[in-house]
Amino acid sequence: MIRTKNPLLPYFFVAPLVLLLLFVFGYPLVQIFDFSFRRIRGIDGPWVGLENYQLILNQPLFHEAVQHNVQLLIAVPIILILSLIIAVILYDRVPGWRIYRTIVFIPYILAVPIVAVVLKKFFQYDGPFNEALRVVGLDLFALDWMGSPDLALWTVLSVIIWREIVFCIVLMLARLLSLDEEMLEAAQLDGAGWWQRLWFIILPQMAGVIEFYFVVSFITMIAAVFSYIFMIGKGGPGTSTMVLELYIFNFLTRSSLPGVASAVSVMLFLVTTVLILILFWVRRGEREQELA
Amino acid sequence: MNANIRDADYSESDSIPAERRRLTPGMVARQAVLLFGVFLALAPAGYMLLTAFKTKEEYLFDKIGLPDALVLTNFSEALVQNPFLLWMRNSAILAIGAVLLSTVIAALAAFAIARMQFRGRDLLLSISTSLMVIPPVVMIVPLFVLYTRLHLMSTFHGTIIIYAGLITPFSVYLLVSFFRTLPTEILEAALIDGASPLGVLWRVVIPLSGPPLVTLFVVNALYVWNDLLIALIFLQSDDSRTLMAGLSVFQGRYNNQIPLTMAGMVMASLPMLILYILFQRYFIRGLTAGALK
């Protein structure tokens, strides 16, 4: 530790950080609560109580958006299971695993808006995906993946999985590479098979990183998929891919109703906070168990 | 979870035990899974690249195959009709500005948090760290209203502050954990020699912090470069538009000219691809740095 003659010196070092965080996080996080109870026109407006919340809750479009975000949550377990399988195979150091790891990273090099545009064209009704299906005789499955309101959200979901899975694979592999190999070798000497090692030794040690990924990607699916949605179809066809972020975006930029947009922001913020608190709570429980 | 992540680049043994080389059913199944994954990972990128070289007519009849010839007209047309270079310049200004601002602020604070004693230190670190997971969409409404009032809309300095704020919690987290690992003796020696704390940070700590600073640069610059939401809301004028916001205009303009669209997408991917080739290991390190704590 550095001992300073001036006891105020550390505060000079952290002051810019505090100011920046207060401006970009502090001010908005307080203000959304205030805004959500006002009818803001331009920059200010009268107190209207719960009117904004009532407006949202009575709007079918809001319910639809919530439902779509909830549907996107299906991506979380799918990504987790696929990533674990791939990471465990790579961890076994199958021949060529380094090359595989490099290639698996490719979706992450492409920015989300680029991924969204490319895959949108890829899944068009007369696009290459359907053409490939027709070539192999699966004409029956050559559907209008992007244009049909029943399918569009599922297509968006697979686009999201395609890119977001990279982060999960890399994360799981990094955790695997840090496991205690002696324990695994000891288990192998004791006659534990591949599945037994996976189930009783590897997976329990992965619990922490899995919980972490679960919470982070949960937040992603309900509040950080805007780039995909906006580039693929701006919520369309119709309202079939409307999500909460786009709902906020439209109320802010198109309808110019910051009060309503704030009410939705408040709800998203509260859900996020609850999720983080759950993660802290689960982790503390685990730590106490370890100490006991 | 106190995962002590070994760096993925150093900890791999290259030797494959002889039993793993034999062709067992399990081995075949694993290779099959990986090859399928490789195909899925490559197909869209390959489609983008191949289509960019096709003519419009050619694409009508052949959506999957190789292009007949390497025609570059799509690229030149996309470049001539759209201000790609302006968009890229704007994105670069924002990314570099936000990363510089964030790194300076985070380095100062992280040095104090890691190496000095003061009240509220641990609280500040935990608040800053937990802000990493707050989605940006929650903050945009009040900032939008404030920026309209202060005439900061469509300005680079206004938007740089927002981006810098969003990336700084990660910068602080990473630098604090790194500064804590530095040996105390070096810092004390410099202090005894009469250096001020600021001098120690600038002349001793920063020169030792190459790898975390590169990681921060890569991760944070990518975040700003790839962002669409903030760019669409806070940079609405034509001459302040970023590359990602530009792409949304671009794709709408050429709805039916898919090869031209793909040429634009290829050009837009190039800066990131170059960055990846130059800093590959920092990509992977940065990706896991925030997560495994």
Side-chain angles (χ1 to χ4, degrees):
Chain A
M1 283 300 147
I2 291 178
R3 260 175 227 98
T4 51
K5 276 169 246 154
N6 182 351
L8 287 177
L9 191 76
Y11 295 102
F12 288 113
F13 276 79
V14 297
L17 173 72
V18 173
L19 286 177
L20 183 67
L21 295 184
L22 278 178
F23 180 72
V24 176
F25 292 93
Y27 169 74
L29 290 179
V30 172
Q31 202 71 334
I32 47 172
F33 284 91
D34 182 52
F35 277 9
S36 74
F37 298 115
R38 291 177 187 276
R39 189 183 300 122
I40 310 277
R41 276 289 177 195
I43 56 170
D44 209 352
W47 185 270
V48 292
L50 290 172
E51 201 178 90
N52 292 326
Y53 290 96
Q54 279 162 350
L55 186 139
I56 301 164
L57 292 172
N58 287 324
Q59 210 190 25
L61 188 61
F62 175 75
H63 293 271
E64 219 180 320
V66 171
Q67 196 198 325
H68 292 157
N69 280 110
V70 170
Q71 238 168 302
L72 291 181
L73 288 177
I74 299 169
V76 179
I78 296 178
I79 290 176
L80 258 175
I81 291 168
L82 291 177
S83 300
L84 277 170
I85 293 172
I86 293 171
V88 166
I89 294 178
L90 289 175
Y91 177 62
D92 272 352
R93 305 209 168 87
V94 295
W97 75 282
R98 278 158 183 273
I99 305 162
Y100 286 127
R101 191 184 60 175
T102 307
I103 296 175
V104 158
F105 207 78
I106 283 177
Y108 225 75
I109 306 168
L110 301 173
V112 172
I114 297 174
V115 167
V117 172
V118 170
L119 287 173
K120 177 185 171 182
K121 307 294 181 193
F122 190 77
F123 285 114
Q124 261 182 356
Y125 186 61
D126 55 356
F129 183 69
N130 279 347
E131 181 145 309
L133 287 179
R134 289 192 196 100
V135 167
V136 294
L138 292 168
D139 303 48
L140 210 63
F141 293 100
L143 306 168
D144 194 0
W145 302 103
M146 287 292 177
S148 144
D150 297 331
L151 288 173
L153 192 69
W154 300 109
T155 314
V156 171
L157 183 79
S158 24
V159 174
I160 293 175
I161 292 175
W162 182 77
R163 187 168 188 280
E164 298 294 324
I165 195 171
V166 176
F167 173 55
C168 193
I169 294 174
V170 172
L171 195 61
M172 296 301 151
L173 187 60
R175 182 70 185 95
L176 281 169
L177 288 170
S178 74
L179 290 182
D180 186 2
E181 299 221 10
E182 278 174 27
M183 206 161 144
L184 281 168
E185 276 159 25
Q188 196 165 11
L189 288 177
D190 286 344
W194 191 84
W195 284 107
Q196 282 172 314
R197 270 176 285 155
L198 179 68
W199 193 252
F200 293 110
I201 298 175
I202 295 179
L203 282 183
Q205 294 189 70
M206 305 279 286
V209 72
I210 291 174
E211 282 156 15
F212 169 84
Y213 183 78
F214 196 86
V215 170
V216 167
S217 58
F218 198 102
I219 295 171
T220 304
M221 295 307 155
I222 59 168
V225 291
F226 177 83
S227 300
Y228 295 100
I229 299 291
F230 189 83
M231 293 304 264
I232 288 178
K234 296 197 168 84
T239 54
S240 56
T241 57
M242 172 59 77
V243 293
L244 287 171
E245 279 167 283
L246 187 61
Y247 188 83
I248 294 177
F249 180 84
N250 285 347
F251 264 113
L252 185 64
T253 60
R254 272 205 230 156
S255 335
S256 296
L257 287 170
V260 183
S262 293
V264 186
S265 307
V266 166
M267 295 185 205
L268 271 182
F269 176 60
L270 293 180
V271 173
T272 315
T273 312
V274 168
L275 280 168
I276 298 162
L277 291 178
I278 291 176
L279 181 69
F280 277 145
W281 182 67
V282 169
R283 284 209 180 163
R284 185 186 287 170
E286 276 165 9
R287 241 172 248 150
E288 273 161 13
Q289 266 187 337
E290 273 168 33
L291 292 175
Chain B
M1 180 179 69
N2 228 326
N4 202 350
I5 291 305
R6 262 184 274 156
D7 188 58
D9 291 308
Y10 307 129
S11 61
E12 311 146 1
S13 66
D14 245 338
S15 57
I16 300 158
E19 23 125 7
R20 289 198 182 137
R21 283 181 197 277
R22 243 176 284 142
L23 220 57
T24 60
M27 190 47 87
V28 172
R30 281 175 219 184
Q31 290 285 354
V33 171
L34 290 179
L35 282 174
F36 186 64
V38 163
F39 173 73
L40 287 182
L42 287 179
Y47 162 69
M48 169 177 80
L49 204 59
L50 293 180
T51 308
F53 292 102
K54 288 177 183 171
T55 63
K56 205 180 160 191
E57 292 71 31
E58 196 185 339
Y59 183 75
L60 266 183
F61 300 105
D62 178 17
K63 300 209 163 56
I64 315 173
L66 295 170
D68 292 339
L70 286 182
V71 199
L72 294 173
T73 46
N74 292 323
F75 292 91
S76 54
E77 205 175 321
L79 262 182
V80 170
Q81 293 175 359
N82 301 276
F84 265 92
L85 297 177
L86 174 75
W87 294 339
M88 287 191 190
R89 189 205 69 152
N90 293 345
S91 290
I93 292 174
L94 290 163
I96 292 171
V99 170
L100 283 180
L101 183 61
S102 167
T103 309
V104 170
I105 292 177
L108 284 172
F111 183 59
I113 292 172
R115 291 291 171 175
M116 297 177 193
Q117 212 112 46
F118 60 96
R119 277 189 67 180
R121 186 186 65 178
D122 298 340
L123 181 70
L124 178 63
L125 183 62
S126 31
I127 289 178
S128 171
T129 307
S130 45
L131 292 177
M132 269 167 36
V133 282
I134 304 287
V137 69
V138 176
M139 270 83 67
I140 57 172
V141 179
L143 289 173
F144 177 87
V145 173
L146 184 72
Y147 272 35
T148 314
R149 184 164 49 180
L150 298 178
H151 303 290
L152 284 170
M153 293 300 274
S154 296
T155 63
F156 287 134
H157 51 279
T159 316
I160 283 175
I161 293 176
I162 298 182
Y163 278 130
L166 294 176
I167 59 183
T168 294
F170 175 68
S171 314
V172 171
Y173 165 75
L174 196 77
L175 288 179
V176 167
S177 13
F178 181 77
F179 289 171
R180 278 180 179 158
T181 64
L182 292 175
T184 316
E185 298 80 49
I186 307 180
L187 306 183
E188 273 168 3
L191 282 171
I192 290 167
D193 288 348
S196 67
L198 201 62
V200 175
L201 172 63
W202 180 242
R203 277 192 292 273
V204 183
V205 175
I206 294 296
L208 289 170
S209 309
L213 288 177
V214 178
T215 304
L216 276 189
F217 171 76
V218 171
V219 173
N220 288 337
L222 277 184
Y223 177 88
V224 178
W225 183 273
N226 289 345
D227 171 75
L228 182 65
L229 181 68
I230 308 285
L232 281 179
I233 292 177
F234 292 95
L235 298 166
Q236 298 185 353
S237 75
D238 281 344
D239 39 324
S240 66
R241 191 169 283 139
T242 67
L243 179 63
M244 294 305 143
L247 290 182
S248 79
V249 178
F250 174 77
Q251 71 143 345
R253 183 178 295 168
Y254 303 104
N255 213 355
N256 291 315
Q257 302 187 47
I258 293 173
L260 186 64
T261 308
M262 291 304 156
M265 296 303 141
V266 171
M267 287 192 291
S269 323
L270 283 181
M272 213 165 148
L273 187 68
I274 294 168
L275 203 67
Y276 176 65
I277 293 168
L278 290 177
F279 298 112
Q280 194 185 354
R281 67 160 58 172
Y282 295 97
F283 263 71
I284 297 181
R285 202 181 281 170
L287 208 54
T288 51
L292 301 160
K293 48 187 166 213

